[in-house]
Every structure is written in structure tokens, then in C-alpha cells.
Amino acid sequence: MKIFFSILLLLSLNFKFTNAQSKHETTISVIKEVNFYDGYAKPVNEPVKPGIIRISNTQYIRKLSNQEKQSIGDSITLKVVVKAGCDNYDRIGRVTLFSVPKDKNYDSPEAKQFELLRIMTPFNYKTREPDHTPYTTTINQLAGLFKNKETDVWIMTEIFGTTSAGQKETIGCDGSLLTYTASVNLTSSKTKKNNLVQPIALLSYFPLNGEDSTAGHNTKEVAFHVDNNIKTAVLYLITSGHGAGEGGEEYNWREHVIYVDGKEYTRIAVNQNCVPYEIYNTRNNGIYGPDIAQERRSWCPGAPVPTRAINLGKLTPGNHNIKIAVPEAKLLNNQSTYYLSAYIAAE
């Protein structure tokens, strides 16, 4: 009997502890079931929900309130759910944080941009299940941006698409400009960790397309300044190759070379296993076939593009530079582009 009551007591304590933990967790609905429209069409006039700004048919942005900012802890998960509309092809999307001086607009020249998550939509028919595609990532390294009292935080969500094919190929899409419907949530919890260092913005969705030859046609270099000793600096990199012409970078994955202060630091094999994301592709396509287990790409339809963390070690105060090169990429000849986003977070 004593053992029985002891078990009941332990279960009761565990329940109370779980409830106590959940009280420290908060979820912010950045956008909820927002419709995205054909990026090649004239701007739509559909109403938007209060607090949300439609920048274009494919972009929405919202400023977080001070209360929302203050509710963010040092453990942060970003979740995006995309519902199929009338674009049945694979398209690119992203969620980007704008850190802006207090009371200034998101398009201020002083705004610093951090791409939080890049996604690729699946080949889909909106009448087939699953018709929702989830994407998640953790962004604990950016917690300091939410705690900065001198800045505002804006969150932009972009999903580019077109219904030119879907209007003809998808039931119920005749004449529709609706590409996707998306929701974005931030879920956060607080711990006792207080050392939240401000990240350093480097690149946000920079198009490496061979036209900027400052550091080489296949290379981008960016300078930055460090005020204090950084014990452990980490470079966060998002990159994906695009170009659907014959031999284009969409069909390849390329080794990326990272240079720090003029010296080669590391090489990264930018490839992704597409098998786990086949389920979300409900429309026949040229990617998900019998050999999908052997195929590697820099991105997969229906998947988040990986955010790669590269430990740079110690950085001393002063001026530094990071150079990202994709030596084997064929850019100009194949009208291809690698979109690069990068920032440094530190302890």
C-alpha cells in the first residue's frame, strides 16, 4: 500500500512539474492562415489582418509588440506550415527577421536582416493529402535580438509562386491567383541563461550569380567588426542552388569553401537527403522517383533548406572578413544563382 501511494505521489509531483514547465512556454502567432498570391500578377487588393503589412503578393511582414519581444526566452523554435493552393510546383520561401532601431520602419537603411528559415514547397495537388507541409528550425542563437531594448523586431514571410500551370492542371483553380496559405509561429521557453550576445549580420539572401566579380565570379566576401573578444564564434550559413536550365545549379550540389581573414578555413559538402520529404510531394515530378535514395541535392521539394553551423573558434577585437566560394558552380553560362545568407552568433 505504501508503495502504491508513493507512486501516486511521484506521478502527482511529475504532473505539477510538467504544468509548471509549460507555464514558462509561450507561442507567438506571427501570421495565421495568410494567403499568398501569384508573384507575376498585379498586386491583389484582398484585405489583410490587423498588424500585418502586405509588401507584395508574395511577402508579408509584421512587427512584434514589446510584450511579444519580452516573452521570448533563450530557447526558440520557429514553425512554418504551408497549405497547398493553386501552385503545384516546387517554389522557394523564407522567414527573415529584421532588427531595426527603435520606432523605425522595417525598410530603414539601418535594418539588419537575419534569415531564420528557408523552405522549398513540394510538388502538390491541393485536393490530395497531405495538403499541409510543416517546417521547423531552432533559432536559440538569435535570442539576443529579442532582448535588445534599443531595437524593434519585424518578421517577414515570403513564398514566391505562380498559378500559371496550376490554373490548368489543378481542379478548382481555374482563374485563381492563390498560390499557398501559410502560418508562422514562434515557440519559446526561458531558462536561467543570461549571456545573450548580439549576433552579427553578414548576408541575407544574397544572389551569388556570377555578376559580382569583386572577390571572383563564384565568390562573395564580407567584412565585419568585432568589439570584444568572442570566445566561441559560430558562422550560420543557408545556401541553395537554383537554375533550371540544362546543367543548371538546381540539379547539382557543390562544395562550398569558407575563408576567414584570407585563409581557407573549411569545406562543406552542400547536399541533402530528400527521402524523408517524399510524402509531401503528391504530384508526379522528376525528382522523387525510384532512385531518390541515391540522389543528393542542395535542396529538396517539401523540405527546409539546412542551416549549417560552422564553429570558427575565437575571434579577437577588430576587423575581420568572411569569404564564401562555390568554385565548381557554373553560374553565368547556366543562368544559375546560389542564394547566400550568413551571420555570426557567439558566446
Side-chain angles (χ1 to χ4, degrees):
M1 184 63 71
K2 288 182 179 180
I3 294 175
F4 175 74
F5 281 112
S6 297
I7 292 173
L8 284 179
L9 178 61
L10 285 172
L11 288 173
S12 174
L13 288 172
N14 184 62
F15 175 75
K16 290 178 181 178
F17 176 75
T18 302
N19 272 357
Q21 287 284 85
S22 64
K23 290 179 181 178
H24 293 289
E25 187 175 87
T26 182
T27 296
I28 298 171
S29 176
V30 179
I31 61 172
K32 184 177 181 181
E33 297 179 354
V34 168
N35 292 331
F36 291 74
Y37 298 95
D38 195 313
Y40 296 123
K42 293 180 180 180
V44 299
N45 293 318
E46 298 298 325
V48 294
K49 298 175 182 178
I52 297 176
I53 298 172
R54 179 188 289 126
I55 301 174
S56 68
N57 285 357
T58 66
Q59 294 178 322
Y60 294 86
I61 197 165
R62 184 170 84 79
K63 179 182 174 181
L64 298 191
S65 68
N66 287 331
Q67 183 178 1
E68 288 173 325
K69 274 187 64 183
Q70 292 168 7
S71 71
I72 296 290
D74 56 354
S75 176
I76 314 170
T77 298
L78 173 68
K79 183 175 182 180
V80 178
V81 177
V82 177
K83 181 180 179 181
C86 291
D87 187 343
N88 53 5
Y89 278 79
D90 51 336
R91 310 294 183 187
I92 192 168
R94 59 189 173 120
V95 179
T96 302
L97 184 152
F98 289 61
S99 180
V100 185
K102 202 71 178 173
D103 298 324
K104 291 198 175 184
N105 207 29
Y106 69 88
D107 55 0
S108 165
E110 301 170 76
K112 297 178 180 178
Q113 296 183 34
F114 299 84
E115 184 174 352
L116 307 180
L117 174 65
R118 188 177 304 174
I119 67 171
M120 300 303 302
T121 65
F123 293 89
N124 60 72
Y125 277 121
K126 70 170 188 173
T127 55
R128 296 177 183 172
E129 298 288 344
D131 60 355
H132 290 70
T133 307
Y135 309 84
T136 60
T137 189
T138 57
I139 53 170
N140 302 346
Q141 67 274 10
L142 295 176
L145 295 174
F146 297 90
K147 297 304 177 185
N148 190 336
K149 296 181 180 179
E150 298 178 357
T151 59
D152 289 326
V153 168
W154 296 72
I155 304 290
M156 183 193 78
T157 306
E158 175 180 11
I159 306 178
F160 190 88
T162 177
T163 60
S164 56
Q167 289 184 21
K168 303 172 185 176
E169 300 171 358
T170 305
I171 295 173
C173 285
D174 186 26
S176 176
L177 297 178
L178 174 67
T179 54
Y180 304 97
T181 300
S183 297
V184 177
N185 288 339
L186 286 170
T187 300
S188 178
S189 59
K190 298 181 180 181
T191 67
K192 294 181 180 180
K193 182 179 179 181
N194 295 314
N195 185 23
L196 300 176
V197 179
Q198 293 300 303
I200 301 170
L202 300 177
L203 297 167
S204 183
Y205 209 59
F206 175 81
L208 183 69
N209 55 17
E211 294 180 6
D212 180 358
S213 59
T214 306
H217 287 289
N218 288 28
T219 306
K220 178 60 178 175
E221 186 172 14
V222 60
F224 62 98
H225 184 81
V226 173
D227 292 325
N228 303 301
N229 273 313
I230 297 179
K231 180 181 178 182
T232 306
V234 180
L235 173 68
Y236 289 87
L237 173 68
I238 302 177
T239 177
S240 55
H242 304 271
E246 185 176 353
E249 293 303 311
E250 176 179 331
Y251 308 108
N252 298 293
W253 63 268
R254 305 292 192 184
E255 187 175 62
H256 285 42
V257 185
I258 309 298
Y259 298 83
V260 180
D261 294 333
K263 297 181 180 179
E264 182 178 326
Y265 185 80
T266 190
R267 292 179 175 242
I268 306 169
V270 176
N271 65 82
Q272 187 174 12
N273 176 15
C274 295
V275 171
Y277 310 101
E278 183 173 14
I279 186 175
Y280 300 112
N281 289 263
T282 57
R283 177 181 181 272
N284 291 336
N285 57 81
I287 296 173
Y288 289 97
D291 298 325
I292 186 61
Q294 284 74 45
E295 184 171 350
R296 293 293 185 273
R297 302 166 53 89
S298 68
W299 54 267
C300 302
V305 177
T307 300
R308 294 175 167 86
I310 302 151
N311 192 328
L312 302 180
K314 184 178 179 180
L315 284 179
T316 57
N319 296 324
H320 298 272
N321 64 74
I322 294 284
K323 186 164 65 175
I324 303 169
V326 193
E328 296 181 354
K330 296 176 174 59
L331 302 173
L332 288 171
N333 292 341
N334 292 301
Q335 297 183 323
S336 293
T337 302
Y338 277 85
Y339 289 102
L340 305 177
S341 287
Y343 59 86
I344 291 175
E347 293 182 3

